[in-house]
Amino acid sequence: YPDYGMNSYSVGIELVHAGSSGEGYPEAQLQTLDNLIAYIDTYFGNKSQIIDHKAWRTTNSDTSPEFAGYLASYQAKRTHK
């Protein structure tokens, strides 16, 4: 798969979530993720492009609806709130 090459220039971040539970991610976990992305941006001196697995590998389907909501908010406002 040629798209695996993305691992050479990106950072993958995994979250713990009980898939299809209907429960959202814990607030502390989302705040920590916001802080981690802000740290990465500061360290590298740029604004990270945040995407989910499906954006670069269409055969991945492990993104929960709850994460899709987080991602949309973060991409628009740079925070999960």
Side-chain angles (χ1 to χ4, degrees):
Y1 298 102
D3 51 358
Y4 274 108
M6 185 174 200
N7 288 333
S8 68
Y9 60 88
S10 66
V11 174
I13 302 170
E14 295 288 335
L15 300 176
V16 175
H17 182 259
S20 70
S21 68
E23 296 180 27
Y25 290 89
E27 176 64 23
Q29 188 176 39
L30 295 178
Q31 186 60 54
T32 300
L33 180 58
D34 287 355
N35 293 342
L36 176 60
I37 295 168
Y39 174 81
I40 291 169
D41 288 352
T42 300
Y43 184 84
F44 288 103
N46 62 8
K47 187 175 173 181
S48 302
Q49 180 183 3
I50 310 301
I51 62 172
D52 70 359
H53 284 147
K54 287 186 237 179
W56 66 274
R57 186 157 170 77
T58 57
T59 57
N60 280 346
S61 61
D62 60 348
T63 302
S64 69
E66 295 86 2
F67 183 74
Y70 168 86
L71 181 62
S73 178
Y74 197 88
Q75 288 172 329
K77 301 180 286 185
R78 301 306 277 185
T79 181
H80 73 281
K81 295 180 181 186

